[in-house]
């Protein structure tokens, strides 16, 4: 009987020692992984997203009332919340490229943009500023709550897709089309 009591005490102590207290005691210094945007205006959502990105150590800056510039790796994106109270919310993610004056507004550039939009579905390619700027815009969708990890993965996926597009262009294209910084 003594052996059973001792075995029970030992098993109880082992069970207590194996209990993980990390799950029961939240870290008060932990930065939230989610941004709750439900019911906000686009401008308020922009502010909430900016604070969350900065708290997660992203280089981010507000570049307009409803737009954030964010650095990811060697590239910058402009993020723009587009909230819809009756449906799916989106974060529009854009990259901008300056076009060399000799290519700006040319027939070749218009054919290239049309071809990219016809062949690809990860983003929309648009000419801006009289053909002097190319905007590449994709959208990450969510409902009310945006997970920062999902946003990060979406931006990486978009960046990888743009790298593949660049590889398909002639070598001389990198001299004629260059990424534009959106924040200092």
């Amino acid at each position: 009987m003594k052996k059973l009591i001792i075995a029970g005490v030992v098993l109880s102590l082992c069970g207590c020692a194996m209990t993980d207290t990390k799950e029961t005691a939240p870290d008060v210094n932990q930065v939230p992984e989610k941004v709750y945007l439900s019911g906000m205006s686009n401008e308020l959502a922009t502010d909430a997203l900016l604070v969350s990105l900065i708290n997660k150590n992203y280089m981010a800056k507000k570049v307009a009332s409803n737009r954030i510039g964010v650095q990811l790796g060697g590239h910058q994106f402009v993020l723009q919340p587009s909230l819809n109270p009756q449906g799916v919310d989106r974060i529009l993610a854009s990259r901008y490229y300056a076009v060399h004056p000799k290519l700006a507004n040319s027939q070749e550039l218009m054919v290239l943009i049309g071809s990219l939009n016809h062949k690809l579905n990860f983003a929309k390619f648009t000419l801006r500023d009289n053909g002097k700027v190319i905007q590449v815009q994709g959208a990450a969708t969510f409902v009310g709550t945006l997970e920062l990890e999902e946003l990060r993965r979406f931006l990486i996926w978009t960046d990888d897709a743009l790298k593949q597009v660049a590889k398909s262009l002639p070598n001389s294209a990198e001299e004629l089309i260059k990424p534009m910084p959106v924040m200092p």
Side-chain angles (χ1 to χ4, degrees), residues 126-171:
T126 308
L127 289 173
R128 302 270 184 225
D129 197 18
N130 294 321
K132 297 175 188 172
V133 174
I134 298 171
Q135 177 184 7
V136 181
Q137 185 178 73
T141 59
F142 63 97
V143 178
T145 303
L146 174 68
E147 294 199 28
L148 292 178
E149 179 60 17
E150 289 178 351
L151 179 61
R152 185 186 74 81
R153 289 181 184 197
F154 171 73
L155 295 176
I156 290 170
W157 176 75
T158 301
D159 190 51
D160 288 344
L162 288 171
K163 287 176 185 172
Q164 292 301 314
V165 170
K167 287 179 184 177
S168 71
L169 298 176
N171 290 340

Side-chain angles (χ1 to χ4, degrees), residues 5 10 59 66 80 83 88 93 112 124 136-137 158 174 179:
I5 293 173
V10 169
M59 186 186 334
N66 63 343
Q80 179 180 359
L83 304 184
V88 176
L112 173 65
K124 175 178 70 172
V136 181
Q137 185 178 73
T158 301
E174 65 186 40

Side-chain angles (χ1 to χ4, degrees), residues 59-153:
M59 186 186 334
K61 181 179 180 179
K62 196 169 185 180
V63 294
S65 65
N66 63 343
R67 290 180 176 89
I68 300 167
V70 65
Q71 181 84 29
L72 184 71
H75 297 100
Q76 294 181 359
F77 289 86
V78 173
L79 303 179
Q80 179 180 359
S82 179
L83 304 184
N84 180 355
Q86 282 85 37
V88 176
D89 300 319
R90 301 176 297 155
I91 295 289
L92 304 173
S94 297
R95 290 255 300 266
Y96 295 90
Y97 296 87
V99 177
H100 192 281
K102 70 180 179 181
L103 185 60
N105 218 15
S106 68
Q107 186 66 28
E108 294 87 357
L109 183 59
M110 287 186 234
V111 168
L112 173 65
I113 296 298
S115 173
L116 291 172
N117 281 326
H118 180 72
K119 292 179 184 177
L120 303 173
N121 66 3
F122 77 93
K124 175 178 70 172
F125 295 77
T126 308
L127 289 173
R128 302 270 184 225
D129 197 18
N130 294 321
K132 297 175 188 172
V133 174
I134 298 171
Q135 177 184 7
V136 181
Q137 185 178 73
T141 59
F142 63 97
V143 178
T145 303
L146 174 68
E147 294 199 28
L148 292 178
E149 179 60 17
E150 289 178 351
L151 179 61
R152 185 186 74 81
R153 289 181 184 197

Side-chain angles (χ1 to χ4, degrees), residues 10-59:
V10 169
L11 286 174
S12 296
L13 290 174
C14 289
C16 290
M18 291 173 38
T19 304
D20 186 4
T21 58
K22 286 184 182 177
E23 289 184 40
T24 57
D27 182 3
V28 294
N29 295 322
Q30 184 178 6
V31 178
E33 298 290 328
K34 297 179 181 181
V35 185
Y36 299 95
L37 304 174
S38 185
M40 291 186 182
S41 68
N42 292 333
E43 290 75 15
L44 288 175
T46 300
D47 292 339
L49 179 58
L50 176 63
V51 168
S52 294
L53 289 168
I54 289 171
N55 286 341
K56 288 298 279 181
N57 295 319
Y58 283 87
M59 186 186 334

